[in-house]
Amino acid sequence: MSWLDALGLALTSIRRRRARTALTALGVALGSALLVALGSVGSAAESRAVEHLGQGLPVGAIKVAPARPAFLQLNSDEFETRGAHAIDAGTITRVKALPGVSGVLPVQAAPVLAVPSTGGSYSAVMLGTDLGAGGLPVTVLAGRLPTPSSATEVAVAPSYVTRAHPGGSPADALGDRLAVAEPKVVGAPPGAPMVRWFQAVVVGVISEQFAQADLLVPLGQTQAAHAWQGVQQDGSYDPDSPYQQLIVVTSGLDQVHRVRAELYDLGYASAAPEHVLGAVLRYLHVVDIVIAGIGGVAILISALNVANALLAAVRERRREIGVLKSIGAEDGDVLRWFLLEAGLIGLVGGVAGAVAGTLMAILIGVKVVDYLTSQGLVLDPIQLSDVPFGVLFAGIAGSVLVSLVAGVLPALRAARLPMRETVGGL
Amino acid sequence: MTRAGAAAAAVLALLAGCSGQAPQATRTPAPAPIVEARIYVAIGASETLGVGAQEPASQAWSTVLYRTALPQPAVFYNLGEVGATVDRALQDELPAALAEHPDLVTVWLNTNDLIHGVSPTAYQADLDRLLSALAGAGVARLLVANTPVLSDLPAYRACADPHAAGPSCAFTAGPVPAPAELDRLVEAYNSAIAQVVARNHAVLVDLHCQGGTATQHPAWVSADGFHPTAEGYAQIARAFRAALLGSGCYRPD
């Protein structure tokens, strides 16, 4: 008997007992769905935690301040400073040369008032960086980034689109004129501020991931704003530093502590959510283990269900097995027939479970985000792209594999039935 | 939040005003610039900051002028100071203006001097010092606004009946002049402004020629009865624009 013949036989058997097969596959599907849903939610929770704690910076990013580190700097995620230390071009060169560093971005931020040509001004954070640098961790949703030397181009975050073009798409913002006001606090006590204005054209829309910036401009624009607005009165930072901050991107989370230690040796205070992120990831790992345990139990139950259904099928098909053997079928042919049937049930259940699990994950995500929003925490809901391919594959392949394993015992029993016993009732 | 951060947030909130209105999602075409200028500085008082408008920073006449009359690469410094007189501007605003090396400067400073009882002669001397310093620094275009009609402002009329509902009296720094006396004072101030403008080769922005706009267009005066609304500021910006074009007295429709 060929594999094709065995497959035809398995399909015929499935069609003959549709209800039982459907119920067995449903059991597999429930186990697979649970595994996919829990795996997806766990994975999304981990990525959201990393994103949230990273404050819009890439994973493994470290912020460096123009200040010397205090003694306990490496025990803290925040800047711990003990005096000013300018960040200049030499600093950038030295930091770039550190092992484990994959990128260094000098940045300047300024509090501004953005005034779209459509009206409705709003407070914003304007961030300037070296837009000519490669590997900028910015997602461009529409248009392009400003030209590095331009004084009249700006990229905006989606918050601008929401304000200036309610219900519109990022592309609608391209070409808009935007006026930007940079206030300067004067007098003691502070009175109405003096304001420096510049006008720019929106050339791009970026995601809000990059350091939570509302406006992204070339570094020169924020350096001009910094020169105008003056120094915030905080003696811990160097007011004359050419760069207000560096964002150091490491090659992975595991490199963060080592690079921070190197920065400490170079004499710079740094901040990165390594301790809090480590603690959160440890908790999430425990949750992952619990999730895997629950999924494993669900799969085990579905495996027992498959084995039970196939054992019943063996009892029902004794005569068919006998007839097959009497016309020359080997034990291996019967084994193949039952194993293929088990595998088909696992495949159908696995695919259905993967689809159902994905939908369950999205629904759970909506509920969780609703709850967190009511608690004042803004997170993106789970989307289709958040469901890891590995989890989907594990859901389907795992179902097939477990069904095959569960089908081994019934298949062996069917294959080893003596022909005399199987046709004895004829 | 640090103290500096809190101050910055408070400043931005002040600049933004209290508007929660959704903007109109229509893109207005960029107006053609009418003057070549790289750096524009506005010297003035609360009107230059847009006090009275719903969104002071963006609706002030100086901002409207900047956005509608100047080329896009131009940078604008609004140095206006609430309650500023010419004397105070000489100390606070002039040094900041000179530091930016502007090629276009607008000056609108007279009402606070008048309210504080500064004599037209003293005012003329102070204004002359201010404009001479700016002209001496090589400012290519210097626009100076005169005093509009004040006697029909609700905040002036309220001085006659302090207990009436509505705006309170704006003339709190000294004795309130009678309407005829106020008109004479405004005449004297405007005569002084015209002389100083001529002496320093500046351009006069004639806001007085428009007459009593508060009576003709009550919607152009804000709830305080003194400062313009956004609509009023837009008209003032048009007057400055007309002066830049050399069109003489701008009369609103």
Side-chain angles (χ1 to χ4, degrees), chain A residues 341-410:
Chain A
E341 189 172 334
L344 282 172
I345 291 170
L347 182 67
V348 171
V351 170
V355 173
T358 303
L359 294 175
M360 273 168 66
I362 291 170
L363 284 175
I364 291 170
V366 167
K367 287 287 174 196
V368 170
V369 167
D370 280 352
Y371 168 72
L372 291 177
T373 305
S374 73
Q375 300 296 307
L377 193 67
V378 179
L379 285 178
D380 290 335
I382 295 179
Q383 292 162 347
L384 211 54
S385 57
D386 286 315
V387 179
F389 178 75
V391 170
L392 280 177
F393 180 77
I396 297 171
S399 298
V400 173
L401 189 69
V402 165
S403 298
L404 284 173
V405 170
V408 168
L409 182 70

Side-chain angles (χ1 to χ4, degrees), chain B residues 5-161:
Chain B
V11 162
L12 288 171
L14 185 73
L15 283 175
C18 52
S19 169
Q21 288 181 335
Q24 297 172 340
T26 51
R27 186 179 300 168
T28 49
I34 59 167
V35 60
E36 279 305 319
R38 269 183 325 106
I39 298 168
Y40 162 41
V41 167
I43 290 176
S46 51
E47 305 85 9
T48 302
L49 291 170
V51 173
Q54 201 169 21
E55 290 186 29
S58 60
Q59 293 173 337
W61 66 265
S62 52
T63 313
V64 176
L65 181 71
Y66 166 62
R67 295 179 71 181
T68 56
L70 271 71
Q72 190 187 313
V75 176
F76 164 44
Y77 293 86
N78 191 341
L79 306 183
E81 201 178 346
V82 174
T85 58
V86 178
D87 184 46
R88 215 165 105 188
L90 280 165
Q91 296 167 44
D92 300 342
E93 299 182 43
L94 179 63
L98 295 177
E100 302 304 336
H101 306 290
D103 43 14
L104 170 66
V105 175
T106 58
V107 178
W108 185 13
L109 283 165
N110 43 50
T111 315
N112 287 321
D113 290 82
L114 198 148
I115 289 174
H116 283 86
V118 177
S119 71
T121 315
Y123 171 77
Q124 183 171 351
D126 286 345
L127 187 64
D128 194 37
R129 281 171 57 206
L130 181 73
L131 298 195
S132 300
L134 290 167
V139 175
R141 286 169 187 268
L142 190 50
L143 273 68
V144 185
N146 65 8
T147 319
V149 174
L150 299 178
S151 53
D152 71 336
L153 284 175
Y156 172 70
R157 292 204 303 266
C159 301
D161 185 5

Side-chain angles (χ1 to χ4, degrees), chain A residues 149-177:
Chain A
S149 59
S150 172
T152 55
E153 292 181 349
V154 63
V156 296
S159 56
Y160 170 87
V161 182
T162 310
R163 289 167 191 275
H165 301 276
S169 70
D172 294 339
L174 301 180
D176 278 7
R177 285 178 303 117

Side-chain angles (χ1 to χ4, degrees), chain A residues 152-231:
Chain A
T152 55
E153 292 181 349
V154 63
V156 296
S159 56
Y160 170 87
V161 182
T162 310
R163 289 167 191 275
H165 301 276
S169 70
D172 294 339
L174 301 180
D176 278 7
R177 285 178 303 117
L178 181 69
V180 179
E182 299 158 358
K184 175 184 185 174
V185 181
V186 286
M194 292 179 171
V195 186
R196 175 185 184 270
W197 288 82
F198 75 92
Q199 294 187 91
V201 173
V202 175
V203 296
V205 180
I206 57 165
S207 73
E208 271 157 326
Q209 289 164 357
F210 187 53
Q212 295 167 330
D214 299 296
L215 308 175
L216 183 64
V217 294
L219 193 59
Q221 194 64 270
T222 39
Q223 282 175 329
H226 186 60
W228 162 250
Q229 291 179 319
V231 183

